[in-house]
Amino acid sequence: MPRFSVVVPVHKVQGYLHACLDSVLGQSYRDIEVIAVDDRSPDGCGAVLDAYAARDERVRVVHLPRNVGLGRARNAGMEHATGDYLFFLDGDDTLTPGALRATADRLDETGDPDVLVFDYARTHWWGGTRRNVLARVLATEDVFTAAERPEILDLLMVVWNKVYRRDFVAREGFAFPPGYYEDTPWTFPVLLSAERIATLDRICVYYRQRRRGSILSTTSRRHFDVHEQYARVFRFVDARPALAHWRPFLHAKMGEHCLDILSKPDRLPPSDKGEFFRRTAEMFRANRPKGATVPAELRVLEGSYAGYVLRQRAGKAGRELGRRARQAGTATAARYTRARSAFPRPLDPDLAVYSAFSHRGVLGDPAAIHRAARELAPHLRGVWVLADEEQAAGLEPDTEYVLLDSPGYRRVTERATYFVNNVNWPGSLVKRPGSVHIHTHRGTPLKYLGADLLDRPGARLGFDVPQMLRRADRWDYSLVANRHSELVWERAFPCHFTSLRSGSPRNDVLVAAPADRGRAVRERLGVPDGDTVVLYAPTRRDYRRGGLVERLDLARFAAELGEGRTLVVRLHPSLATGPARGLGLSELHRRGVLVDATDEPEVQDVLLAADVLVTDYSSVMFDYALLDRPIVVYADDWDAYRASRGTYLDITDEAPGHVARSPWELAWLFDSGTWRDEEAARLRSAFRKRFCEFDDGRAAERVVRTLMPVERMPERPAGPARVPSQATGRDLLTPS
């Protein structure tokens, strides 16, 4: 008896069917049967299913004699199921890598509940991926009932974000009805009846959002089926007195669902919308529980269709007025800025304004410069610009800040002399004569940036290159850690700034940190004492919208590392709040398979805790090289990455260590010990010589003493930072 019976109803999805079946049959967890139901599909779906069945004995095909619809096709598949659990997957959707293994592990962990609810992400036809906005509901260890955690019913009421214990379904006699919205009279009764519900905080299904061809996006009177589907739900509850207390909740859900259908422009024929409203209102009145309070947003169902139409028009007009007001506000703000610029107050020579990573906190190079300025130039007032109060929550009490676009922001940016940032300031900020703009960048560049993106249309998606260059015109100084960076920035940003060979201020800690700092970080991360820490730090991809590409099975890699090694993962900041965390990382962290260090504020702390770095094309490799510890480059898609984004060097030819081009090569490097052999040391030494040229542990001090009003830096023995400047003809760091 297999653990899972994966039921796949199929009708006119031949363009997606291969991806669907491959995503199931290619899972590492193999204790499954696939019951593919050909719902009399008029295209080539039936032949595709037969071909898969001939190649894989786990696939069984059921050819229906006539088209019966999605719900009844699922029923046909259930009749042939023999697995412990039913897993329904639509023929145009896919499982995420590792989904079945994670689901099986969670079922074992929770003692085979009646229902296990997991997460999903919408994948749009134009390439975007969006995670379920209510994913937080799934973050629980408990096994519960719907009565104990009613928020579980706020999730999308679909069948495919859950697995169901087959004997529970058989005992209760659950089946799918005909018609549209067949998930509704399945999901509500199942969840209300389940005595044990568990959750898995992991994206297991990619829910394809098709541009055309989706059943629910087809304009038709069949959307009237929703009324009968809710009537089935109410009859189910009425037949079970113990569930009577759910009636107010279901009554409101019915009203919300029907109004949502009515509001969609592509669901109902315009001539049928009035009838749909009236039927909904009648059903709403007929099923209203005694004494139940009608939510404000549903009171429109107590009136007429004409009233509903007027309300919709008023809402649309209000949104349009709001849009125009925002446009007018933006224009007013611009005029205000120009007017203030015409009659400016004098610059404050002791005011410095800082920002990092688009105002996300006190981080990176600007934070290191700020700390040095407080020590070396305490008369300087340092003010941080933050995006919102959430970013300010963890600040030290004596850290002064303003919120972006607030009156305080306008006051300090009008008068500040020093501006320090690693991302460009907003376009509305006017650079005044006498102000000093210091751009720190965000590391040594590997991939194309700035003007180099003009011939890379895919990579510059979301980048306004001319605007980027106009903002870079405000830079006075560009900080560089090596000659490679200096040449790249001057080519990528053809503007009038001076390259300052300072080193990277944020990396001073990597050069001069006390030995116990790394141990303290390891303890905070929960790394067992004596373990070798393998840090995996992947970057984003430009050939995939959203930047996420699952290149490595993290659970498998962690297992292959073996005893005495802890895998620590840190995602690129742009992936930290997207689907990447839900595709197994959060769940593996919870289970102790690996450590998710993505939320650690400073990447340098994570680097100090690591004994070896595994990365693909992240610029963090240039920082980590300062520690003179092994680095492995995982370059399994190097050709695609380089072709899509463009790179300033071939990192596979000039690597800081060994290069792996497949998961098997990566595992072999660690299993054989090659990752830290003499060749790895030789490669790392050459890499350090080229890219760690100006980092000597005093970069932040150097920036403050060179560009801010403090004493000159004391003489030190000649070091890597004392190099004649190509940009200025002399070294700004050498006293004249």
Side-chain angles (χ1 to χ4, degrees):
M1 179 184 297
R3 188 61 162 156
F4 295 110
S5 293
V6 184
V7 178
V8 184
V10 174
H11 184 75
K12 296 201 295 188
V13 290
Q14 67 176 2
Y16 313 105
L17 188 53
H18 289 276
C20 173
L21 295 175
D22 288 346
S23 76
V24 178
L25 300 173
Q27 294 278 315
S28 59
Y29 189 87
R30 299 183 59 81
D31 187 17
I32 64 172
E33 64 177 2
V34 177
I35 304 170
V37 182
D38 173 17
D39 188 19
R40 198 64 177 176
S41 186
D43 54 15
C45 285
V48 170
L49 295 179
D50 290 339
Y52 271 88
R55 294 195 303 267
D56 195 317
E57 62 182 8
R58 296 174 297 168
V59 179
R60 186 187 318 172
V61 181
V62 177
H63 293 283
L64 299 181
R66 61 184 179 87
N67 175 249
V68 297
L70 187 57
R72 288 183 170 177
R74 289 175 181 152
N75 292 340
M78 275 198 292
E79 292 177 4
H80 296 270
T82 62
D84 297 331
Y85 278 85
L86 297 169
F87 195 134
F88 298 100
L89 183 68
D90 289 352
D92 54 353
D93 295 337
T94 56
L95 296 185
T96 63
L100 290 180
R101 167 59 66 186
T103 303
D105 288 348
R106 185 61 173 153
L107 290 172
D108 292 343
E109 192 175 62
T110 53
D112 283 5
D114 296 329
V115 181
L116 175 69
V117 187
F118 48 76
D119 203 6
Y120 67 93
R122 297 174 187 265
T123 57
H124 296 272
W125 60 269
W126 41 264
T129 301
R130 182 165 60 89
R131 190 179 186 183
N132 165 30
V133 296
L134 294 177
R136 64 182 184 278
V137 173
L138 303 174
T140 178
E141 296 286 329
D142 302 330
V143 176
F144 54 90
T145 64
E148 292 167 338
R149 291 199 65 212
E151 60 268 26
I152 198 70
L153 298 175
D154 290 330
L155 294 172
L156 189 65
M157 285 291 105
V158 291
V159 66
W160 42 256
N161 64 350
K162 309 169 186 71
V163 294
Y164 313 85
R165 191 159 51 80
R166 189 168 59 87
D167 60 4
F168 160 69
V169 171
R171 184 188 72 223
E172 297 292 335
F174 294 127
F176 291 94
Y180 281 17
Y181 306 102
E182 76 292 333
D183 287 5
T184 297
W186 167 280
T187 308
F188 279 121
V190 164
L191 289 179
L192 296 181
S193 302
E195 296 176 355
R196 301 181 73 249
I197 301 172
T199 61
L200 173 60
D201 184 13
R202 187 193 198 281
I203 296 172
C204 293
V205 169
Y206 280 140
Y207 175 32
R208 189 185 301 274
Q209 305 293 286
R210 291 157 64 180
R211 188 166 182 262
R212 292 190 179 92
S214 171
I215 292 176
L216 292 184
S217 295
T218 302
T219 302
S220 166
R221 279 187 60 87
R222 294 196 62 184
H223 292 283
F224 279 78
D225 290 352
V226 71
H227 298 125
E228 178 55 28
Q229 306 296 25
Y230 273 99
R232 290 185 170 100
V233 174
F234 288 129
R235 289 196 293 270
F236 178 86
V237 171
D238 291 343
R240 291 160 177 78
L243 300 179
H245 64 283
W246 285 106
R247 250 192 170 275
F249 174 86
L250 296 170
H251 177 254
K253 282 288 183 182
M254 183 272 293
E256 293 169 3
H257 194 171
C258 291
L259 286 177
D260 181 66
I261 294 169
L262 187 60
S263 69
K264 294 288 193 299
D266 57 353
R267 300 288 175 91
L268 294 160
S271 59
D272 293 328
K273 288 191 172 184
E275 180 186 352
F276 185 89
F277 176 88
R278 287 187 288 273
R279 285 201 195 180
T280 300
E282 291 171 3
M283 189 172 184
F284 190 75
R285 288 191 295 270
N287 288 278
R288 179 178 176 178
K290 292 182 179 179
T293 301
V294 177
E297 64 272 16
L298 298 180
R299 290 174 189 163
V300 67
L301 289 171
E302 296 179 327
S304 65
Y305 178 62
Y308 167 81
V309 171
L310 287 174
R311 179 176 170 175
Q312 291 295 100
R313 289 175 179 172
K316 183 177 180 180
R319 289 190 294 273
E320 178 64 18
L321 286 173
R323 184 185 66 82
R324 293 181 180 180
R326 286 191 295 274
Q327 289 178 336
T330 301
T332 301
R335 288 193 296 270
Y336 171 83
T337 299
R338 289 194 293 271
R340 292 297 296 267
S341 298
F343 305 99
R345 299 164 63 190
L347 294 179
D348 183 345
D350 294 332
L351 177 58
V353 179
Y354 298 86
S355 180
F357 299 104
S358 300
H359 323 298
R360 287 198 292 110
V362 180
L363 301 166
D365 289 309
I369 296 170
H370 179 233
R371 288 191 294 268
R374 295 180 76 166
E375 177 183 348
L376 299 170
H379 60 282
L380 285 179
R381 175 191 172 201
V383 181
W384 281 85
V385 177
L386 301 178
D388 50 50
E389 289 290 356
E390 183 179 353
Q391 306 298 336
L395 296 186
E396 295 181 4
D398 60 344
T399 302
E400 187 176 356
Y401 70 92
V402 294
L403 299 183
L404 182 67
D405 292 331
S406 68
Y409 166 80
R410 288 190 285 273
R411 284 193 295 270
V412 297
T413 55
E414 284 169 6
R415 299 207 59 202
T417 295
Y418 302 97
F419 291 79
V420 184
N421 202 343
N422 65 1
V423 179
N424 271 315
W425 293 98
S428 59
L429 192 153
V430 178
K431 185 182 189 307
R432 293 182 56 185
S435 63
V436 178
H437 282 239
I438 304 167
H439 195 78
T440 71
H441 303 282
R442 288 175 288 175
T444 295
L446 172 62
K447 61 188 178 183
Y448 278 6
L449 294 162
D452 292 326
L453 292 174
L454 288 172
D455 63 351
R456 299 280 173 169
R460 72 169 186 262
L461 184 67
F463 288 95
D464 184 335
V465 175
Q467 181 187 77
M468 188 187 307
L469 297 180
R470 286 193 297 271
R471 294 181 179 185
D473 283 332
R474 297 177 298 198
W475 301 352
D476 294 294
Y477 295 97
S478 165
L479 305 190
V480 298
N482 46 63
R483 299 172 202 257
H484 162 81
S485 296
E486 182 174 352
L487 294 174
V488 165
W489 297 139
E490 292 179 1
R491 167 184 148 187
F493 296 95
C495 306
H496 299 289
F497 56 81
T498 297
S499 294
L500 181 63
R501 293 176 169 182
S502 59
S504 299
R506 71 187 185 283
N507 286 338
D508 288 345
V509 67
L510 300 182
V511 179
D516 60 351
R517 180 160 177 173
R519 288 194 295 270
V521 177
R522 291 161 69 102
E523 290 176 5
R524 185 169 72 245
L525 294 175
V527 175
D529 189 35
D531 265 22
T532 296
V533 174
V534 179
L535 172 61
Y536 177 55
T539 193
R540 60 178 289 116
R541 301 298 195 275
D542 293 288
Y543 60 79
R544 177 73 64 84
R545 189 184 293 268
L548 173 62
V549 177
E550 303 99 342
R551 306 303 313 176
L552 195 61
D553 185 332
L554 295 177
R556 181 173 180 174
F557 182 41
E560 289 171 338
L561 288 174
E563 292 293 325
R565 292 172 178 169
T566 295
L567 178 61
V568 175
V569 178
R570 183 178 177 89
L571 296 177
H572 188 276
S574 66
L575 303 177
T577 57
R581 303 290 281 281
L583 284 168
L585 185 56
S586 298
E587 185 240 353
L588 293 174
H589 175 85
R590 178 186 62 80
R591 288 169 46 201
V593 174
L594 51 75
V595 175
D596 178 8
T598 302
D599 290 332
E600 279 291 308
E602 294 286 359
V603 67
Q604 280 68 32
D605 281 344
V606 184
L607 299 183
L608 285 167
D611 297 299
V612 54
L613 170 68
V614 178
T615 186
D616 36 35
Y617 324 116
S618 171
S619 64
V620 76
M621 73 176 78
F622 299 96
D623 305 328
Y624 191 74
L626 286 164
L627 294 171
D628 199 18
R629 300 174 188 173
I631 301 172
V632 175
V633 175
Y634 182 53
D636 68 328
D637 65 339
W638 171 246
D639 291 337
Y641 182 87
R642 194 175 192 185
S644 63
R645 178 64 191 235
T647 60
Y648 295 114
L649 66 145
D650 186 345
I651 200 61
T652 63
D653 281 346
E654 302 176 73
H658 289 293
V659 178
R661 295 184 179 272
S662 70
W664 300 274
E665 286 185 40
L666 183 61
W668 176 82
L669 285 174
F670 281 94
D671 186 57
S672 65
T674 306
W675 61 279
R676 54 181 178 183
D677 64 6
E678 291 183 3
E679 177 64 8
R682 185 192 67 78
L683 292 168
R684 187 167 69 254
S685 177
F687 190 86
R688 281 167 48 81
K689 184 176 181 180
R690 180 178 180 187
F691 296 110
C692 301
E693 188 177 5
F694 303 147
D695 280 304
D696 62 355
R698 303 180 65 205
E701 179 186 358
R702 184 173 292 110
V703 171
V704 173
R705 289 191 182 276
T706 304
L707 303 180
M708 295 179 173
V710 294
E711 296 179 2
R712 277 302 210 183
M713 208 164 180
E715 286 292 338
R716 295 280 182 96
R722 300 169 64 86
V723 182
S725 170
Q726 297 173 5
T728 64
R730 66 184 181 89
D731 184 0
L732 291 175
L733 309 183
T734 304
S736 57

